[in-house]
C-alpha cells in the first residue's frame, strides 16, 4: 500500500509537470516538482530514520524540488517554502491519516509552500523594479 501511494503521487506529479505548457519558472511547475521531491524524500527518510527521518526527508525533498524548478531569482524563497510546507504537511498528514496521509500531506504542503514562496519572490521583484523605475536619481 505504501508503494502504491508513492507511485501514484510520483505519477501524478510527473504528469502534471509534463502537461503544463509554461516557461521554466511557472509556479505550477515549481509546485509539482516540490511535491514530487517531497514524496520521494519522505519515502527515503522514512526508510532511513523512521518518522523523524521522514519529516526531514520531506523538507529536504520539497526544498530540492522547488529549487530545481525555480528561476535563479526565485530559488531561495521557493526552496524555503517547499521545505517548510513539506515538513509541516507530513506531520499534519500523518497525524490525521496515518502513513498514507503523511505522504499526501507532504506533497500538498510542499506544493503549496513552494508556490507561495515563488509568488512572494516574484511580487517582491516586481515591487523593486517598479520602485527603481520611478525613483529620481540624485547626485
Amino acid at each position: 500500500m505504501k508503494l502504491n501511494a508513492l507511485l501514484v503521487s510520483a505519477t501524478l506529479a510527473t504528469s502534471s509537470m509534463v502537461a503544463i505548457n509554461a516557461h521554466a519558472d511557472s509556479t505550477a511547475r515549481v509546485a509539482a516538482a516540490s511535491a514530487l521531491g517531497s514524496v520521494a524524500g519522505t519515502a527515503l527518510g522514512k526508510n532511513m530514520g523512521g518518522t523523524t527521518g521522514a519529516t526531514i526527508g520531506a523538507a529536504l525533498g520539497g526544498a530540492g524540488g522547488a529549487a530545481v524548478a525555480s528561476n535563479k531569482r526565485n530559488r531561495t524563497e521557493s526552496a524555503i517554502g517547499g521545505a517548510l510546507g513539506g515538513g509541516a504537511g507530513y506531520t499534519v498528514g500523518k497525524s490525521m491519516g496515518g502513513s498514507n496521509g503523511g505522504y499526501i500531506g507532504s506533497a500538498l504542503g510542499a506544493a503549496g509552500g513552494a508556490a507561495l514562496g515563488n509568488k512572494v519572490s516574484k511580487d517582491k521583484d516586481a515591487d523593486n523594479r517598479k520602485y527603481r523605475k520611478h525613483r529620481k536619481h540624485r547626485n
Side-chain angles (χ1 to χ4, degrees), residues 42 58 86 89-95 97-107:
T42 301
Y90 175 76
T91 304
V92 171
K94 182 162 176 49
S95 69
S99 182
N100 288 339
Y103 286 115
I104 294 167
S106 167

Side-chain angles (χ1 to χ4, degrees), residues 38 41-42 45-46 49-61 83 86-88 90-91 94:
S38 183
T42 301
K46 188 169 187 175
T51 303
T52 304
T55 305
I56 294 169
L60 292 177
Y90 175 76
T91 304
K94 182 162 176 49

Side-chain angles (χ1 to χ4, degrees), residues 20-106:
I20 298 169
N21 288 330
H23 53 74
D25 193 37
S26 166
T27 303
R29 191 168 295 210
V30 171
S34 182
L36 179 61
S38 183
V39 169
T42 301
L44 187 61
K46 188 169 187 175
N47 287 335
M48 293 177 70
T51 303
T52 304
T55 305
I56 294 169
L60 292 177
V68 166
S70 293
N71 191 355
K72 189 165 83 171
R73 287 187 194 134
N74 308 328
R75 190 168 292 150
T76 302
E77 289 87 348
S78 297
I80 291 171
L84 292 175
Y90 175 76
T91 304
V92 171
K94 182 162 176 49
S95 69
M96 292 179 68
S99 182
N100 288 339
Y103 286 115
I104 294 167
S106 167

